[in-house]
Amino acid sequence: MNALALIANFPAQTVLCLSILIFFIISPFSFRKKISASFCFLVVLVIGFICELCIGPRSVHNGLLQVTPLSHYGNLLFLAGGFLFYILYRTSDEVYKQDGWEIMGLVLTSMFGMFVLVIANDLLLAIIALEMIAVPAYFLVAMNQKEKAASEAAMKYALFGAFATSMTLYGASLFFGLLHTMRIDEFWQHASEVELSLFTLVLCLLLSSVLFKISAMPFHFWTPDVYETAPLSITGFLAIAPKAAGLVFLMRFFSSYSAFSFDRVIWILCFIALGNVIISNLLALRQKNIKRVLAYSSMSHVGWILLAISLHGIMENQTILFYIIIYSLMNFVVFCAIEILCGKERNYSFESLQGKMYSSPRVAVIFSVALFSLIGIPLTAGFVAKFYLLKLLLQSNLEWMIIIMAISMVISAFYYIRIFACLIKEDLQPTEEQVKVKRVYIPLYSVLTVSFALLLILGIYWIPLQMAIHI
């Protein structure tokens, strides 16, 4: 296949790759100050979005790269995560604006890794894509000029990432040695040739790096510190895009696991999912920082999705993807609301939200509804997403698991309601400076309003979205 044919098959990936080169080439030159890096970043996102809408499923290089409807929806989620970063970056003072070209280039590099991961059908290519996602994130986390602990959190993030990657590489070597192939779609076909205990070990090693990206047990320890110290724009990006990439990859990986009985493998994934849900909710009860609570909240929702993936033989891919979309939309609303409510103070403690229901009633109400949706309160989109999973568990005669998930929802309600209680607690009236900040945030208000409207609609009338998802 020649270069032009390759570009025609992967236009969005080509646009991202060329944009990365341009962003880093321009960064050393002085004329970059005359060009808006954030505007160029937005243009890249728009072009990538158009390319994704125009290209259908295809397979090239003898199946080495496979573009499926699932990868298509995943790419749209990555672009949404990139847009959340853009809208938060525009109003943020946590990073040096003169480093805009480098920051945008790093985000695009991470996004390019996500685009490659969801189409990779070769294990080595998938590992490279995972590293392209992670390495830029290490630098982005450390770029918070208002948080001295950001460098320490970035180092912790990088060390955990290196450990997870080393385990994945070791698993890949065993994978090739036992099965004599690196093709992901052949993994389950040849698995019956390997003793089950050894196969389980190889699988756990292989998935280490992916579990690290999605903040799943036992690779979740970095998440609270990174969420707390990273710039809010980076935290929002990490909460949506990398997690969506890892989860979409797992959906593809386990899409044909029913070739023969792997009860032990599936129960390991169920154990990880339940551990994520239970431990994250219990630890969140002790937190007094909004971003740390959102870190544990993301781990809990990842547990819900992992549980759905582990029962993939029964649950349709559409339902899993529906949950991922709802989860991403809820985070979109929450992070936009936090950006407005916290203003220039950059104080993310619970106390900083006191009186916001009176000083910023509209945003506080939107934020509250998004929190209730994260809990899974009826008439919210979060409830719809969780309802379908609980329905699946009931159909699978897993009543004991339904009880555990229901208890976890009750526990999560406590720390979300603590945040809501701070919102309605009476405080001082807004200062003149806070009023000025609100006027500056008009574009952010617009994005918040639109995303909130979508969240409300999906809580009441979600059928069109389900019907629109074809995998």
Side-chain angles (χ1 to χ4, degrees), residues 93-295:
D93 60 347
E94 294 179 296
V95 294
Y96 293 106
K97 296 298 183 179
Q98 59 266 33
D99 296 331
W101 288 98
E102 292 86 349
I103 294 173
M104 300 294 176
L106 289 171
V107 174
L108 288 174
T109 303
S110 185
M111 291 179 61
F112 179 72
M114 300 172 200
F115 273 68
V116 174
L117 178 65
V118 295
I119 64 174
N121 193 35
D122 181 85
L123 187 58
L124 185 59
L125 182 60
I127 294 174
I128 294 174
L130 285 167
E131 289 309 294
M132 290 190 69
I133 297 171
V135 174
Y138 304 152
F139 293 97
L140 290 169
V141 170
M143 287 188 171
N144 191 346
Q145 62 174 334
K146 293 196 171 186
E147 182 59 64
K148 295 180 179 179
S151 299
E152 179 183 347
M155 179 62 69
K156 184 177 182 179
Y157 190 17
L159 290 175
F160 270 101
F163 175 68
T165 301
S166 63
M167 292 183 65
T168 299
L169 288 173
Y170 181 54
S173 64
L174 292 176
F175 175 88
F176 182 76
L178 293 171
L179 304 180
H180 308 290
T181 180
M182 294 292 277
R183 293 285 290 266
I184 295 175
D185 58 355
E186 297 177 2
F187 179 76
W188 299 102
Q189 298 175 13
H190 299 284
S192 57
E193 304 169 6
V194 183
E195 198 273 327
L196 183 57
S197 298
L198 182 58
F199 174 79
T200 304
L201 173 63
V202 172
L203 181 63
C204 292
L205 291 173
L206 283 177
L207 296 182
S208 298
S209 192
V210 182
L211 296 177
F212 166 77
K213 300 298 181 297
I214 63 176
S215 305
M217 291 178 54
F219 302 98
H220 62 284
F221 297 100
W222 59 271
T223 312
D225 291 337
V226 168
Y227 270 56
E228 181 182 12
T229 58
L232 187 65
S233 55
I234 302 302
T235 304
F237 176 74
L238 294 177
I240 294 179
K243 286 183 171 55
L247 292 168
V248 169
F249 177 78
L250 287 177
M251 290 172 65
R252 289 182 56 238
F253 187 82
F254 284 97
S255 60
S256 58
Y257 77 80
S258 57
F260 69 99
S261 177
F262 288 114
D263 290 342
R264 184 186 303 179
V265 173
I266 300 310
W267 278 111
I268 289 176
L269 196 60
C270 285
F271 172 76
I272 294 174
L274 291 175
N276 251 48
V277 172
I278 296 171
I279 294 176
S280 60
N281 283 323
L282 291 176
L283 292 177
L285 293 173
R286 303 177 56 188
Q287 306 306 316
K288 297 181 180 179
N289 184 282
I290 306 168
K291 293 169 75 175
R292 291 185 72 88
V293 167
L294 291 177

Side-chain angles (χ1 to χ4, degrees), residues 372-427:
F372 293 147
S373 185
L374 286 169
I375 298 173
I377 299 296
L379 298 181
T380 63
F383 170 78
V384 176
K386 291 183 177 181
F387 170 79
Y388 279 102
L389 176 55
L390 295 176
K391 181 181 177 181
L392 166 70
L393 296 177
L394 182 62
Q395 293 173 347
S396 306
N397 298 318
L398 295 173
E399 291 82 2
W400 64 272
M401 199 173 290
I402 295 178
I403 296 175
I404 293 177
M405 303 306 281
I407 293 174
S408 73
M409 291 176 62
V410 174
I411 295 174
S412 68
F414 281 97
Y415 57 81
Y416 286 124
I417 291 176
R418 283 178 60 202
I419 299 177
F420 177 72
C422 289
L423 289 172
I424 63 176
K425 185 176 181 180
E426 192 171 358
D427 197 13

